[in-house]
Amino acid sequence: MTNAPHPYDALMNITARPPTVFVKGDGAYLWDDSGKRYLDFMQGWAVNCLGHSPTIVADALAAQAKLLLTPSPAFFNGPSLKLANALVANSCFDQVFFTNSGAEANEGAIKLARKFGTLYKNGAHEIITFVGGFHGRTLATMSASGKKAFEPLFEPKVSGFPKAQLNDLDSVKRLISSKTVAVMLEPIQGEAGVWPATDQFLQELRALTQERGLLLIVDEIQTGMGRTGKLFHYEHAGIEPDIMTLGKGIGGGVPLAALLATEYASCFEHGDQGGTFNGNPLMCAAGLAVLEHVATPAFLKSAADAGLFLESELQKLSARHGLGEVRGRGLLLALDLKLPIGASIVAQAFSEGVLLNSPQPDALRFMPALNVSKEEIADMIECLDAILTKAGAARMVA
Ligand SMILES: *Cc1c(COP(=O)(O)O)cnc(C)c1O
């Protein structure tokens, strides 16, 4: 008997996916090709900061598509200039380089730090990163990541990324040598299960790097663009890093990411950095529409309020079911399940029409759209409550 090839088989089998094809999105909801509706608390892993297919992004894309797609990165274009200036005006950084993915932005941050070392620090090139950190899937960003599962893969790795422990300043100090040029971290380790750096640690790290003449690089690909209730997470700690990367939410659903640097750190020379599609007007037009919407005090306040509501609802849920802590900030939160039941909860929620994420076996991560409503949060909590009640009953029978 021969098996007819399945349409799914034409895609490389890089992850386990449910046998469902998604065809439509609107705000907090996704629909599959059978017409089933799902309430989405993943939003493409914190990508759709304004929900699925927001009108302002769709309109910006349609208008720009008719005007100009790509003149060439050898020329200036309007949307990339506008977006770069808006990012500079809303941050502590002076210059921007646009990329197509977060990993590529981090790859650029690593190159920029190494260039800085070549120019000003006798060839120092090591970048201290953190156990549990995630910076992407290019060879250098996998090497910079502190993810256990990456360790045996694709050897030999790119060298020069010694790993410190998050929230342990001494572990950073011990790794600093004449070869060190920078320290790089996610303000909240997202993929690792939402483990926040404390504001105090970020402040101490900024003081230490300044004192030792090292660059501080924040990977805000997940925490940036209002995700934690401020436009950028570093604002919570009141620090000014030298380099920041953005991705995910910056495009509101389209592939756009960015490398930002202060004048002090921005040292690329002609030939050091580039890329065919980087800064293309189509994606930058989407990014501009997103930023103009997100970077307003009223929007950021409502996202922060939604985060507080979700946090308190998760805390009540945790108390009802004897679960662990709620971690994170704003609308990047995790619930500690205390047991490795994350995958099973995600699967049950999927069949109930709610999309959740379990980055670690014993944790659920919540990253809804920043404009999620209280009703949508309440609906998700109700679904999760029922699943946890069933799981608890099953445990008592067993
Ligand atoms: C998602 C993510 C990346 C990688 O971004 P891609 O667009 O998938 O390449 C890097 N760093 C952090 C913190 C992320 O969350």
Side-chain angles (χ1 to χ4, degrees):
M1 207 173 75
T2 58
N3 287 324
H6 195 280
Y8 298 155
D9 293 342
L11 286 172
M12 288 192 190
N13 187 14
I14 52 118
T15 189
R17 298 177 172 120
T20 308
V21 179
F22 288 93
V23 293
K24 194 180 115 157
D26 184 8
Y29 295 98
L30 263 180
W31 284 263
D32 71 18
D33 60 357
S34 75
K36 179 174 169 185
R37 190 178 83 153
Y38 301 79
L39 176 59
D40 190 357
F41 270 70
M42 290 166 61
Q43 290 286 356
W45 281 289
V47 164
N48 305 312
C49 59
L50 300 176
H52 286 283
S53 299
T55 307
I56 58 159
V57 173
D59 287 351
L61 285 167
Q64 187 59 43
K66 286 186 192 146
L67 210 56
L68 175 63
L69 290 175
T70 291
S72 156
F75 302 123
F76 289 119
N77 72 73
S80 82
L81 286 170
K82 279 190 198 147
L83 181 55
N85 279 283
L87 286 167
V88 165
N90 280 287
S91 73
C92 66
F93 303 98
D94 301 302
Q95 291 196 307
V96 184
F97 175 76
F98 291 110
T99 67
N100 310 297
S101 70
E104 203 189 345
N106 282 338
E107 190 85 23
I110 292 163
K111 285 170 65 177
L112 189 61
R114 285 191 175 193
K115 178 78 186 191
F116 189 90
T118 302
L119 290 176
Y120 308 121
K121 290 184 69 76
N122 253 329
H125 64 276
E126 283 190 357
I127 301 174
I128 297 170
T129 58
F130 289 82
V131 174
F134 177 79
H135 299 296
R137 290 178 172 278
T138 63
L139 207 43
T141 55
M142 282 181 90
S143 308
S145 298
K147 187 171 163 156
K148 255 257 136 354
F150 282 179
E151 272 171 27
L153 302 178
F154 312 122
E155 292 293 308
K157 291 277 185 345
V158 177
S159 61
F161 298 102
K163 304 284 183 306
Q165 295 288 337
L166 196 66
N167 295 325
D168 178 351
L169 200 69
D170 284 335
S171 75
V172 180
K173 284 185 187 161
R174 281 196 292 276
L175 294 174
I176 296 175
S177 75
S178 59
K179 287 191 257 167
T180 312
V181 69
V183 177
M184 175 171 177
L185 82 165
E186 302 168 77
I188 298 175
Q189 291 187 341
E191 296 304 306
V194 188
W195 295 99
T198 63
D199 289 345
Q200 186 190 340
F201 180 68
L202 290 170
Q203 287 153 6
E204 288 172 355
L205 202 54
R206 177 66 285 191
L208 176 69
T209 48
Q210 235 145 21
E211 188 186 301
R212 303 289 183 94
L214 307 177
L215 299 173
L216 179 62
I217 306 171
V218 286
D219 175 347
E220 295 232 22
I221 289 166
Q222 195 158 140
T223 55
M225 299 307 293
R227 177 58 48 188
T228 68
K230 292 199 183 281
L231 190 55
F232 307 116
H233 184 288
Y234 71 78
E235 298 170 32
H236 289 292
I239 60 165
E240 297 199 343
D242 303 295
I243 296 172
M244 172 169 76
T245 52
L246 296 174
K248 297 203 162 89
I250 190 180
V254 302
L256 177 67
L259 162 64
L260 294 86
T262 60
E263 191 179 1
Y264 171 71
S266 191
C267 60
F268 278 145
E269 296 172 296
H270 289 182
D272 288 341
Q273 186 65 327
T276 303
F277 291 112
N278 295 352
N280 71 83
L282 187 65
M283 297 307 135
C284 289
L288 190 61
V290 170
L291 187 69
E292 282 173 348
H293 197 80
V294 170
T296 60
F299 184 86
L300 290 168
K301 165 115 181 32
S302 73
D305 288 348
L308 289 174
F309 180 68
L310 175 58
E311 190 176 351
S312 83
E313 290 300 298
L314 286 172
Q315 272 158 357
K316 284 190 240 163
L317 190 75
S318 175
R320 272 203 297 283
H321 296 277
L323 307 176
E325 66 172 347
V326 178
R327 297 188 292 267
R329 207 168 210 166
L331 286 166
L332 179 57
L333 297 172
L335 172 62
D336 179 358
L337 298 165
K338 294 214 286 197
L339 289 168
I341 53 174
S344 147
I345 290 179
V346 165
Q348 288 176 69
F350 187 89
S351 68
E352 301 287 328
V354 174
L355 301 181
L356 297 177
N357 167 253
S358 171
Q360 297 294 324
D362 62 353
L364 293 176
R365 176 173 45 167
F366 304 86
M367 39 199 162
L370 302 181
N371 53 10
V372 66
S373 71
K374 282 193 170 180
E375 293 72 33
E376 289 154 358
I377 291 173
D379 286 350
M380 182 280 291
I381 293 282
E382 192 185 317
C383 170
L384 193 50
D385 201 10
I387 292 170
L388 288 167
T389 301
K390 244 194 287 176
R395 264 203 308 281
M396 282 187 321
V397 171

